[in-house]
Amino acid sequence: MIPEDRRDGPGAGEERAQLQAAGSVRKGCDTLAAQTPCGRLQSHRARIHQQINKELRMRTGAENLYRATSNARVRETVALELSYVNSSLQLLKEELEELNCSVDADVPEREGTTVPMIPLGLKETKELDWSAALKELISGHFGEDGASYETEIRELTDLRQAMRTPSRSESGLELLTAYYNQLCLLDARFVTPARSLGLLFQWYDSLTGVPAQQRALAFEKGSVLFNIGALHTQIGARQDRSCPAGTSRAAESFQRAAGAFSLLRDKFSRAPSPDMSPASLSMLEQLMTAQAQECVFEGLLLPSPAAPRDCVAQLRLAQEAAQVAAQYELVHQTMTQPPVCSYVPFPWTTLVHVKAKHFRALAHYHAAVALCDSPQAEAELLALEQVFLRPLPPSEPRGPMLPQEREERRKLGKAHLKRAILGQEEALRLHAVGRALRRLDLLQAVLGQALRRSLTRYSELDLEDDFFEATEAPDIQPKTHRRLEVRAPSFSRVKVADIFHRLGPLSVFSAKNRWRLVGPVHVTRGEGGFGFTLRGDSPVLIAAVIPGGHAAAAGLQEGDYIVSVNGQPCKWWKHAEVVAQLKSVGDEGVSLQVVTLLPSAEPPSTGDRRPALRGLLRNQKECGWGTSVPAPASPRPLLGWSRKAKRDKTGGGLSPAAHP
């Protein structure tokens, strides 16, 4: 189980529990975020975002004035103001970079010493007023009183407000996922290809602090998905990796973060901000995969009484460390390429470079230990060859074999230790160059400890009469015995109820459909029943109308959906419930309200009906949603700008209403 956030004071946990018990705070929302180190860091980040936004508006105004005026004195004053604004923006950018590199702000005390990880800050957003847009749409399209949905709109507003400060725990992830699922329901009910909600969604870039605005609901969904990945990185970075369980939890968190960024890159092509661009998301996916692989190496490195520390174990550690180094080298290469290099925090690039050098040096250290342990068995010699020599096809001649003599292996091990020492010294030099990294005492302690260990081992192998240096040590072939894969978020594990459930099933009552409300229509029972047959659930469909019957005389037609029986709303009734209600009426008959779907070009209205629209009769099994969030019935873009809602739906079979 993932531990909850660390509390600053002894009464913070009790206060949060009391608020949640009272029902005033949603589960997963960190009500005391401002009192935790991470919360203070996030608040500081939000203030910088606001200052950057203010400076950008000032710069835009100054640039417009500079282009509009021809007065030389005014242009000189504006140019001076622009230089001041640009200097302020640069200082704010550097301050934001320092915050972004404040890794693992409140990690609990650990027994061991591990390399710090890189978590990602959450995207900030402003408060949003859903009320006017949703009320207008409910009144105009659905034909209901928008003011009667105040409770639903307030619930949606509270949910969005709560997800702005999620706790760094499994509850916080569930809160973000629940809001994301509600956005999917809103998209299916209120958004069409030709019309959006009309709301302006504003989010701040996580890396640069620059605000981005769009009216598409897909931007809101993409930003929430980004925060799901970012929250996974924070949970993974704060795990205690000095125990096997902690390394496993951290690796899983980074895998899920990589899955979220991969899904976002594949499904969200129109990037409104740098942190959500395809290049940035690819970099983040590579970074999280590398950090997950680092956790695998740390898990192998942990001392275990049952695990032997023989030659084969050291060779495995060497290959795993080379694999981690290779992945960090790939991440560093991506970070230094445009356009990522223009907005990725410089401390991130430096830390990734330090890690690449550090793990490359560790690979040489463990290879040297394996060489100096004097393997005698043939299997151990074969394992050594697989580490140092790349696999060759049978047709290609093999290169020189590894030295068989103990003294020759000692010299080769000494050469590997030399490369390890040089690599660790380079890592320490890069650490000292970065101003932000110099404050990470934990990183310096890890690098210094690794260097001292290599120097000690080298001094043990260095003989006074050893005047001949061994040849250059070969590279270690990277290989992992546990290749990690990205894990996409599982949205179906968090079940939510549709907030706007009262509007009716999404298969019919959505902005993508148009309908006409007819009734109340009074239908009496005849000798053969009411004269129509029913099919499906929620809402029940009139599948057929018997010509000349009572239903046909009352104006009911094939394809109508029953929405009210004797004044009782029945949009969500099952087939059996409607049939039972019709069977219970007497000879006086029943009063029904029905809706008929209209062509998309015809506006919704009420009154006398036109001829039946048989072409609009839908199979009940192709369009219907329950109150929880099921998986989509057909593949479609997760964050597409337009899509047609199609859902699986079960329904009852044909049955006469009068004689079920």
Side-chain angles (χ1 to χ4, degrees):
M1 185 178 66
I2 297 176
E4 292 287 337
D5 284 348
R6 174 185 172 190
R7 281 78 171 172
D8 257 15
E14 291 79 357
E15 183 178 350
R16 182 183 289 108
Q18 292 174 3
L19 290 173
Q20 290 183 353
S24 59
V25 177
R26 287 184 178 269
K27 182 180 179 181
C29 176
D30 193 356
T31 57
L32 306 177
Q35 301 179 17
T36 63
C38 180
R40 289 192 291 269
L41 190 68
Q42 196 72 12
S43 300
H44 191 186
R45 195 193 312 271
R47 289 194 297 270
I48 294 179
H49 288 167
Q50 295 174 2
Q51 293 174 7
I52 290 177
N53 192 19
K54 178 181 177 181
E55 295 293 338
L56 287 175
R57 291 197 301 266
M58 292 177 60
R59 187 174 70 176
T60 302
E63 289 175 346
N64 292 336
L65 179 59
Y66 188 87
R67 287 190 294 264
T69 185
S70 58
N71 189 304
R73 189 167 183 177
V74 173
R75 291 172 69 94
E76 181 181 356
T77 304
V78 172
L80 183 63
E81 181 66 23
L82 276 174
S83 65
Y84 173 76
V85 171
N86 288 332
S87 300
S88 299
L89 282 173
Q90 183 63 29
L91 292 175
L92 290 172
K93 180 182 178 181
E94 293 177 359
E95 188 176 357
L96 185 61
E97 284 184 352
E98 293 182 3
L99 289 181
N100 286 334
C101 76
S102 298
V103 293
D104 235 0
D106 60 343
V107 175
E109 293 296 329
R110 297 167 173 161
E111 296 180 2
T113 304
T114 53
V115 182
M117 294 293 186
I118 300 179
L120 188 61
L122 301 180
K123 291 174 70 71
E124 297 283 345
T125 183
K126 289 187 173 182
E127 294 185 3
L128 185 66
D129 184 11
W130 301 86
S131 181
L134 291 180
K135 286 181 180 179
E136 180 181 356
L137 190 56
I138 291 173
S139 301
H141 185 87
F142 293 85
E144 299 193 25
D145 184 13
S148 64
Y149 284 83
E150 285 281 359
T151 303
E152 287 83 353
I153 295 174
R154 189 182 311 111
E155 182 179 356
L156 178 62
T157 302
D158 293 342
L159 178 60
R160 188 180 190 274
Q161 183 67 19
M163 71 89 199
R164 294 176 61 188
T165 55
S167 61
R168 290 197 298 168
S169 63
E170 193 68 27
S171 298
L173 290 171
E174 292 177 358
L175 177 62
L176 287 172
T177 305
Y179 180 65
Y180 181 88
N181 288 338
Q182 286 295 345
L183 291 178
C184 292
L185 292 170
L186 288 176
D187 192 9
R189 187 180 294 278
F190 294 116
V191 178
T192 65
R195 179 177 60 187
S196 65
L197 288 175
L199 296 170
L200 188 63
F201 301 99
Q202 177 172 328
W203 289 80
Y204 291 92
D205 190 281
S206 175
L207 301 177
T208 65
V210 177
Q213 302 180 26
Q214 279 194 359
R215 294 189 180 276
L217 187 63
F219 181 38
E220 180 87 351
K221 294 167 63 179
S223 300
V224 175
L225 181 56
F226 184 94
N227 275 358
I228 290 176
L231 191 57
H232 273 299
T233 68
Q234 295 183 13
I235 293 175
R238 71 188 303 268
Q239 296 301 318
D240 182 5
R241 304 196 310 278
S242 63
C243 60
T247 57
S248 298
R249 287 195 299 264
E252 182 180 359
S253 296
F254 289 125
Q255 284 178 269
R256 294 193 180 278
F261 296 135
S262 175
L263 184 63
L264 186 57
R265 186 192 69 244
D266 295 339
K267 303 299 183 181
F268 193 76
S269 57
R270 303 183 183 183
S273 57
D275 60 353
M276 294 173 62
S277 64
S280 177
L281 294 172
S282 297
M283 179 271 295
L284 291 174
E285 180 184 355
Q286 293 175 1
L287 174 61
M288 299 311 152
T289 304
Q291 294 191 140
Q293 198 68 48
E294 180 182 349
C295 294
V296 172
F297 172 78
E298 290 177 341
L300 295 174
L301 201 60
L302 291 175
S304 175
R309 288 297 176 184
D310 54 6
C311 171
V312 177
Q314 293 295 332
L315 293 178
R316 182 180 179 184
L317 287 173
Q319 287 188 310
E320 290 285 355
Q323 178 70 27
V324 176
Q327 292 190 233
Y328 274 122
E329 288 168 358
L330 180 62
V331 176
H332 181 258
Q333 181 181 358
T334 305
M335 286 183 171
T336 54
Q337 297 294 325
V340 178
C341 62
S342 61
Y343 50 78
V344 70
F346 179 73
W348 286 17
T349 307
T350 307
L351 181 56
V352 167
H353 198 188
V354 168
K355 286 191 173 189
K357 296 292 184 182
H358 171 62
F359 284 101
R360 182 67 65 187
L362 284 181
H364 286 287
Y365 171 80
H366 289 289
V369 173
L371 283 167
C372 298
D373 281 347
S374 301
Q376 299 293 335
E378 182 179 351
E380 293 181 342
L381 289 174
L382 181 60
L384 276 172
E385 293 180 9
Q386 293 177 353
V387 171
F388 297 114
L389 303 177
R390 63 183 179 88
L392 298 176
S395 59
E396 187 174 341
R398 294 181 60 87
M401 299 294 291
L402 290 174
Q404 302 293 321
E405 298 296 331
R406 177 186 180 94
E407 180 63 19
E408 293 298 325
R409 288 198 300 269
R410 183 191 68 82
K411 292 181 179 180
L412 184 58
K414 184 178 176 182
H416 279 285
L417 281 174
K418 183 177 180 180
R419 289 194 63 177
I421 292 171
L422 292 176
Q424 287 153 357
E425 288 178 344
E426 177 65 13
L428 278 171
R429 186 191 68 81
L430 292 172
H431 170 268
V433 169
R435 182 182 63 179
L437 294 185
R438 285 200 301 267
R439 296 197 297 268
L440 294 178
D441 298 333
L442 183 60
L443 178 60
Q444 185 176 6
V446 173
L447 299 177
Q449 180 182 5
L451 178 59
R452 289 190 297 271
R453 184 177 57 181
S454 298
L455 289 172
T456 302
R457 191 78 180 192
Y458 187 86
S459 63
E460 294 174 356
L461 297 178
D462 193 19
L463 302 179
E464 293 182 0
D465 56 349
D466 192 1
F467 300 106
F468 300 98
E469 290 292 336
T471 58
E472 182 70 17
D475 292 332
I476 308 299
Q477 298 300 319
K479 181 182 178 181
T480 179
H481 298 270
R482 181 189 168 191
R483 183 167 295 278
L484 301 177
E485 297 180 357
V486 298
R487 298 185 181 182
S490 178
F491 301 109
S492 59
R493 67 184 180 87
V494 179
K495 303 296 183 181
V496 297
D498 186 1
I499 291 180
F500 295 92
H501 172 273
R502 286 198 294 136
L503 288 174
L506 277 166
S507 59
V508 177
F509 301 99
S510 71
K512 300 175 180 63
N513 298 326
R514 294 182 178 273
W515 60 87
R516 177 190 295 114
L517 179 64
V518 179
V521 176
H522 189 74
V523 184
T524 58
R525 186 196 300 271
E527 294 182 358
F530 289 104
F532 58 80
T533 56
L534 304 178
R535 183 177 65 186
D537 294 329
S538 306
V540 175
L541 172 74
I542 297 179
V545 176
I546 300 175
H550 289 250
L556 297 180
Q557 296 181 359
E558 177 184 342
D560 289 345
Y561 291 96
I562 300 178
V563 297
S564 174
V565 177
N566 286 334
Q568 301 182 50
C570 63
K571 294 178 181 178
W572 288 99
W573 284 13
K574 300 294 184 182
H575 177 270
E577 294 177 274
V578 175
V579 171
Q581 185 70 21
L582 294 176
K583 289 175 61 178
S584 66
V585 301
D587 296 335
E588 69 278 4
V590 64
S591 177
L592 301 177
Q593 265 192 319
V594 297
V595 296
T596 300
L597 293 180
L598 304 174
S600 57
E602 183 180 352
S605 60
T606 58
D608 296 335
R609 90 172 55 244
R610 297 183 180 182
L613 303 170
R614 299 177 184 269
L616 292 174
L617 179 60
R618 295 186 175 186
N619 191 328
Q620 289 286 307
K621 295 184 178 181
E622 294 182 353
C623 45
W625 266 17
T627 58
S628 61
V629 181
S634 59
R636 57 178 182 153
L638 180 68
L639 298 170
W641 299 93
S642 62
R643 62 173 181 248
K644 184 176 181 181
K646 292 183 179 180
R647 296 288 187 270
D648 281 338
K649 180 170 184 176
T650 59
L654 284 170
S655 62
H659 303 284

